[in-house]
Amino acid sequence: MTRVFLMGFMGAGKTTLGKALARDLGLSFHDLDQYIENRYMKSVSQLFALYGEQGFRRIESRLLHEVGEFEDVVVACGGSTPLAGDNMDYMLAQGKTVYLRCDYETILRRLKIARAKRPLIAAMSDSQLEEYIKADVARREPVYLRSEYVCPGDRLETCDQIAETVAFVEGLIGLEKKQTL
């Protein structure tokens, strides 16, 4: 039974890496935000509007504990997932934890493109976004660094880079892709 939890700041590439890693290892893949949206039939933005951030975090924790019971799975967590309640301890106990670490410039570039889809930063100006990233990465990093493994997340832009990062993570956590006939 294999469980891999990917964590990192929003825009780090957790979903991109998670899909590729799961496919290569023959595991199922769950993006926690998408899992939540499918269960509640509402977007993360709508859930934030309905329940507030604290209400959303309670939902997120409950459903993390649900997918964390699945076998042979890669889970891409939300950027704040490890920070809430006992989530980090839970993931450490349930499987392998990987912090996808990116430099500030990579995160900023990616989030400028995807800002509208992310409720916490959708209304921020470029300068507000820069300040937010600097402060929030510094606040979150001590929790992320509790992960068993740290993987660079800056090289997930091309198919070759994604394949190289998948191979790196597989070697890092000691998993090999399943052999097919």
Side-chain angles (χ1 to χ4, degrees):
M1 170 182 55
T2 302
R3 293 184 188 110
V4 180
F5 298 94
L6 301 175
M7 63 195 68
F9 201 76
M10 68 178 103
K14 300 175 296 285
T15 299
T16 299
L17 177 62
K19 286 178 181 178
L21 182 64
R23 184 173 45 251
D24 201 57
L25 293 172
L27 306 175
S28 63
F29 171 75
H30 292 282
D31 177 287
L32 187 57
D33 284 345
Q34 190 172 38
Y35 187 80
I36 292 166
E37 288 178 347
N38 291 341
R39 284 292 297 278
Y40 279 79
M41 302 297 288
K42 294 185 180 348
S43 70
V44 169
S45 296
Q46 290 170 322
L47 292 169
F48 261 76
L50 281 171
Y51 302 112
E53 185 173 359
Q54 287 186 344
F56 175 77
R57 297 297 169 213
R58 284 191 295 274
I59 292 168
E60 181 182 54
S61 291
R62 187 170 47 81
L63 293 184
L64 170 68
H65 285 248
E66 189 173 297
V67 297
E69 297 299 319
F70 295 172
E71 295 184 5
D72 298 325
V73 65
V74 175
V75 179
C77 299
S80 294
T81 303
L83 303 157
D86 73 342
N87 288 349
M88 187 66 185
D89 291 333
Y90 176 77
M91 289 185 286
L92 286 164
Q94 287 299 103
K96 298 180 181 292
T97 53
V98 180
Y99 168 28
L100 197 53
R101 190 179 204 181
C102 294
D103 65 35
Y104 164 79
E105 292 80 17
T106 300
I107 292 171
L108 179 61
R109 179 177 43 78
R110 289 176 182 168
L111 290 182
K112 280 183 177 181
I113 295 166
R115 183 180 355 210
K117 297 179 185 176
R118 301 182 180 272
L120 288 176
I121 63 169
M124 291 183 185
S125 68
D126 284 356
S127 61
Q128 289 172 323
L129 181 60
E130 288 180 46
E131 290 305 312
Y132 172 77
I133 292 169
K134 287 177 187 174
D136 220 35
V137 167
R139 180 179 68 85
R140 294 173 182 209
E141 182 130 286
V143 177
Y144 292 158
L145 287 172
R146 290 185 57 208
S147 296
E148 292 175 272
Y149 308 100
V150 178
C151 171
D154 299 307
R155 293 181 39 82
L156 291 169
E157 309 300 323
T158 67
C159 290
D160 287 343
Q161 289 177 349
I162 293 167
E164 289 168 8
T165 304
V166 164
F168 177 81
V169 170
E170 289 172 354
L172 191 66
I173 63 179
L175 295 175
E176 297 177 3
K177 68 173 145 181
K178 293 186 176 184
Q179 300 296 319
T180 57
L181 297 177

